[in-house]
Amino acid sequence: MATLSPLLKQATPVLAERGEGVYLYDTAGNRHLDFTAGIGVTNTGHCHPRVVEAAQKQVATLIHGQYTTVMHEPLLRLVDALGEVLPDGLDSLFFLNSGSEAVEASIRLARHATGRQNIVVFHGSFHGRTMGAAALTTAGTKFRAGIGPLMPGVAVAPFPQAYRYGWSEDEAVRFALRELDYLLATVSPASDTAAFMVEPVLGEGGYIPAPPAFLEGLRERADRHGILLIVDEVQTGFGRTGRFWGHEHSAARPDVLITAKGLASGFPLSAIAAPAALMEQAWPGSQGGTYGGNAVSCAAALATLRVVQDEDLVGNSERQGARLGDGLRKVAADHPVIGDVRGLGLMQASEFTGADGEPDAAAAQRAHKAATERGLLLLTCGAYGNVVRMIPPLIVTAEQVDEALGLWSAAVADAVG
Ligand code: PMP
């Protein structure tokens, strides 16, 4: 008899049977308010009827049109449609299956296009678990311990973490950019540096939005030194932060954009987009894969994009995100153990800290568990596991936000008294 490997870790004990909108139903018939959205994937809600219909139709027509062997319509239609929402100039794209694969593809592209080797990432970054992506991931030792040696050619610079160090946002940005300049002057010469890779909001690293001035400072340095700016929008894209792309909270525009998760409502699909002139620096056949751009995933992604547009999910993310953030701050005001509430759009988090300002992971884990028991599914994040995050589907209503806040308030009271 086979069993599921114990090396997988599951955040909740739920055995899911069915999903509908923002709710998951388990095999015992219990209803759970899903504020995890499958780690920020089911932005259109579980089993949105238009996504289901598009996928069912495609399954009956062509499942696997292998895109390095034959081209297929769903992929071409999706390329066209994504042109409507991608940043100006990022007019060339191709598809893979997961965020990690797209991150790997962006490393190849950056190295091919610049002839340089190093990638600079920022403390708290999460870019994936495959070996190249793991080398770029600094969100916690659990993602790196015991698997080295990791890919060389990675340098790490500070991310502006104002709360952690008790700084103003300006001070945190100044520190981070000065450290980056120092890194370029010491460890990773600009002439060896292919790219900066950054998340518009640190995701697994603790839900810390990048201040606009930080992203703009990266853009300025990238231009000055001929370094590419790769923006990892795997978690922040497709309306999650209340803008279509997370980087749009700043004036900085990327050279390479990575998207996955929300792109296809749960079907495996990722993409990287860049100017055609940059893609042309690599050669045909330098990227690819068996399943990339799967026809069913592409059909689901096209339906997802239309739902995001037709139902104004970006606007809803901004509106409900503000409501959620305000409610979380009210809960925090009653419980000093929640030292910070932050986020953009429907990417919101509460950080648990002790009286000494140090991370209080035990309190965060208790609150998470109490919420699960009350029927509110959440995730934790942060290097110390002391941040509880909320990432509901972007279709969430004001009533459902209030329902979640009621459960959260009770769960925190259960956890910390
Ligand atoms: N980049 C970011 C910003 C992510 O949040 C994630 C997943 N949490 C990844 C990359 C990796 O994506 P995947 O798990 O699909 O490989």
Side-chain angles (χ1 to χ4, degrees), residues 144-164:
R144 300 168 67 89
I147 60 168
L150 290 164
M151 178 181 78
V154 179
V156 187
F159 188 91
Q161 301 206 22
Y163 172 68
R164 175 89 179 114

Side-chain angles (χ1 to χ4, degrees), residues 159 198-203 208-211 215 231-237 241 245-249 344 347:
F159 188 91
V198 68
E199 294 161 83
V201 179
L202 273 195
I208 308 175
L215 295 181
V231 175
D232 181 343
E233 294 264 11
V234 167
Q235 194 159 162
T236 48
T241 69
W245 303 111
H247 72 262
E248 289 171 356
H249 291 273
L344 289 175
M347 198 170 175

